Amino acid sequence: LPLPIISLSLPKSATTTTRMYFSCGNLTTAHTNRPFATTRIGDCMRDNFLNGTSPFHGCETNVRTNEVVNVWTDIGIPDEYCFY
């Protein structure tokens, strides 16, 4: 499959299982938060959208290993922003 893979999904739609599946294949994955960061993927993407930059700019790496994320799951923000 071409990378990156972005799983566009709603809450409670097997996003954790999807992340685990691709992790077993040794792909770098992100689920809800950027890997090893407190920033949610959706917050990073929303901020980039509002600033007119690429959606994954600054969100695309594991903050501990600096590996580029290959698979994104659960990228929405269900709170007051409702950004999916």
Side-chain angles (χ1 to χ4, degrees), residues 33-40 61 63:
N33 290 331
R34 291 179 55 211
F36 302 105
T38 57
T39 309
R40 291 186 300 189
T61 57
V63 297

Side-chain angles (χ1 to χ4, degrees), residues 12-44:
K12 310 313 280 176
S13 60
T15 55
T16 301
T17 303
T18 302
R19 182 197 61 80
M20 292 169 59
Y21 172 81
F22 285 107
S23 290
C24 285
N26 293 320
L27 293 175
T28 304
T29 62
H31 178 265
T32 306
N33 290 331
R34 291 179 55 211
F36 302 105
T38 57
T39 309
R40 291 186 300 189
I41 300 163
D43 289 327
C44 188

Side-chain angles (χ1 to χ4, degrees), residues 3 10 56:
L3 300 173
L10 296 172
F56 290 105

Side-chain angles (χ1 to χ4, degrees), residues 50-65:
L50 293 174
N51 291 321
T53 59
S54 171
F56 290 105
H57 177 75
C59 322
E60 68 272 50
T61 57
N62 179 320
V63 297
R64 281 193 187 165
T65 64

